[in-house]
Amino acid sequence: MSFFGFGQSAELELVLSDAESRRRVEHKTEEGKKEKYFLFYDGETVSGRVILTLKHPNKRLEHQGIKVEFIGQIELYYDRGNHHEFVSLVKDLARPGEFTQSQTFDFEFTHVEKPYESYTGQNVKLRYFLRATVSRRLNDVVKEMDIVVHTLSTYPELNSSIKMEVGIEDCLHIEFEYNKSKYHLKDVIVGKIYFLLVRIKIKHMEIDIIKRETTGTGPNVYHENDTIAKYEIMDGAPVRGESIPIRLFLAGYELTPTMRDINKKFSVRYYLNLVLIDEEERRYFKQQEVVLWRKGDIVRKSMSHQAAIASQRFEGTSSHMEAKTPSQTAENNSRQ
């Protein structure tokens, strides 16, 4: 931080005010590793301290101002130079001047809007971070700290089952049914496959969960398909009239909520891909889109106002259902 080894140099540190109590979650980095970050929701306040430590006590540190920023940005990997910021908040912590000893500055960004979920994909990254900067003539002192944001959803009011028929004329006719079209990330996909006509020798059948990431617009659109899971339904030849049940647990897979046209930069969609392979290694498949969403936990004191409203909405919709949901039951118990 010092120029040619002369003069004062400094280090910055960012500390959240609720660091000891705030939950941390694993999130994939650009290199594919998993690291733990502090978890926030839309509408929650982000507050803490910027600690400026001088390396040489009693030596002057001249600066042109100190600030802290809260930034939400999208970075497309094929366009590395351009960062598309959708949230940008700034707090000035100190006017231009000089320091001769270490300092601590408090900051607070109140009820920050965080409209999208944090995401690291094949061609795009959506991140939120705090950045503290000491502005200097020759080289700024900068410290960044990433956080993770989860977007919570309520139970969908309409969640119809999926029924489809697929076949090859006079050779194969099957009907498949999934119990819902929208699933939360810890849900179970329940379904059935009926064989109405089988005149080709099928030896293997599976369901794949496919994630499709779409980035860019117009002529610069990139599609990346990633097979998240393979679930074997059947190994051997089915007969006419046979029905095969499906139970696919989503909790064990790395899934995100469905994201549609995020800031007009990218989308993430999920598909159930039914694959049949015959004895001559020919593949027959049928894709069906499903919507994934993140279910909120039981409302905690530190959870955002936005999440609390979402929970109330969920209570309202679930009162029309016959069976109580686990979170409702837990809430009733806590009231008692």
Side-chain angles (χ1 to χ4, degrees):
M1 301 300 175
S2 59
F3 189 63
F4 296 130
F6 298 106
Q8 180 63 280
S9 60
E11 282 184 354
L12 281 174
E13 189 184 354
L14 282 158
V15 180
L16 293 177
S17 52
D18 56 357
E20 288 183 10
S21 58
R22 183 164 289 279
R23 186 178 158 203
R24 290 161 69 116
V25 292
E26 284 190 341
H27 188 73
K28 195 168 75 172
T29 65
E30 217 174 304
E31 294 77 35
K33 296 176 186 173
K34 281 188 177 177
E35 292 185 7
K36 285 204 165 185
Y37 299 93
F38 289 107
L39 173 64
F40 283 84
Y41 298 99
D42 181 25
E44 279 193 299
T45 294
V46 182
S47 62
R49 303 187 306 279
V50 175
I51 301 167
L52 172 70
T53 307
L54 301 186
K55 287 190 176 177
H56 307 293
N58 302 320
K59 258 193 177 181
R60 287 186 310 149
L61 173 78
E62 291 184 11
H63 65 90
Q64 271 70 53
I66 299 174
K67 64 180 178 180
V68 63
E69 299 164 272
F70 181 85
I71 294 169
Q73 73 178 24
I74 296 170
E75 182 184 342
L76 299 164
Y77 295 163
Y78 61 81
D79 187 17
R80 286 277 186 182
N82 290 323
H83 294 151
H84 307 279
E85 293 184 359
F86 54 88
V87 175
S88 181
L89 304 171
V90 186
K91 297 266 185 197
D92 289 318
L93 302 177
R95 293 178 179 176
E98 58 182 48
F99 293 118
T100 54
Q101 56 188 15
S102 301
Q103 299 279 340
T104 300
F105 306 93
D106 292 327
F107 67 87
E108 182 175 271
F109 295 102
T110 313
H111 304 309
V112 184
E113 185 185 357
K114 310 175 202 73
Y116 311 122
E117 174 129 349
S118 299
Y119 177 73
T120 305
Q122 304 273 2
N123 290 319
V124 63
K125 178 167 68 177
L126 188 152
R127 64 186 280 242
Y128 294 87
F129 61 98
L130 288 162
R131 180 166 62 205
T133 307
V134 179
S135 300
R136 302 189 69 192
R137 277 186 191 154
L138 295 171
N139 50 348
D140 293 348
V141 184
V142 180
K143 179 71 174 178
E144 290 185 356
M145 176 187 182
D146 280 74
I147 64 163
V148 163
V149 170
H150 282 176
T151 53
L152 302 179
S153 302
T154 56
Y155 272 101
E157 287 181 23
L158 294 171
N159 200 353
S160 53
S161 61
I162 298 169
K163 286 186 181 179
M164 290 188 78
E165 290 186 14
V166 59
I168 304 157
E169 199 173 346
D170 297 329
C171 291
L172 177 72
H173 189 184
I174 61 173
E175 191 177 271
F176 60 89
E177 182 179 350
Y178 303 122
N179 60 332
K180 294 185 279 192
S181 53
K182 297 168 184 172
Y183 297 90
H184 63 76
L185 300 183
K186 301 278 171 70
D187 219 333
V188 184
I189 295 173
V190 178
K192 270 190 179 179
I193 293 172
Y194 305 94
F195 290 88
L196 305 175
L197 176 66
V198 186
R199 283 189 183 151
I200 53 176
K201 292 184 177 177
I202 295 168
K203 69 168 187 178
H204 182 77
M205 191 170 182
E206 68 184 33
I207 280 188
D208 304 338
I209 300 175
I210 292 173
K211 179 174 89 169
R212 181 173 298 158
E213 179 186 291
T214 305
T215 50
T217 52
N220 299 320
V221 172
Y222 297 87
H223 298 288
E224 281 287 348
N225 286 349
D226 188 11
T227 303
I228 303 292
K230 283 180 181 283
Y231 175 76
E232 187 181 279
I233 298 169
M234 180 195 73
D235 193 15
V239 294
R240 183 181 172 182
E242 194 170 354
S243 137
I244 296 175
I246 299 165
R247 282 184 80 81
L248 178 53
F249 292 83
L250 298 179
Y253 302 110
E254 281 188 40
L255 300 166
T256 68
T258 296
M259 304 179 187
R260 297 182 191 273
D261 201 22
I262 299 298
N263 210 40
K264 298 184 178 173
K265 293 291 181 289
F266 73 97
S267 299
V268 179
R269 289 186 159 91
Y270 289 89
Y271 297 85
L272 292 178
N273 192 30
L274 182 65
V275 182
L276 290 82
I277 303 169
D278 69 12
E279 288 188 342
E280 294 174 20
E281 296 298 326
R282 287 179 298 207
R283 297 169 72 88
Y284 310 90
F285 56 88
K286 185 75 177 178
Q287 273 190 10
Q288 174 63 41
E289 184 176 1
V290 290
V291 174
L292 300 184
W293 54 282
R294 188 180 294 282
K295 185 179 175 182
D297 299 328
I298 298 164
V299 178
R300 295 172 289 111
K301 284 181 184 175
S302 64
M303 194 179 278
S304 68
H305 178 61
Q306 193 90 358
I309 291 171
S311 170
Q312 285 165 15
R313 275 199 221 117
F314 157 62
E315 267 189 42
T317 54
S318 61
S319 63
H320 299 297
M321 300 178 192
E322 289 179 17
K324 286 188 178 179
T325 59
S327 62
Q328 228 181 333
T329 311
E331 217 166 4
N332 289 344
N333 290 343
S334 66
R335 280 178 193 151
Q336 288 166 8

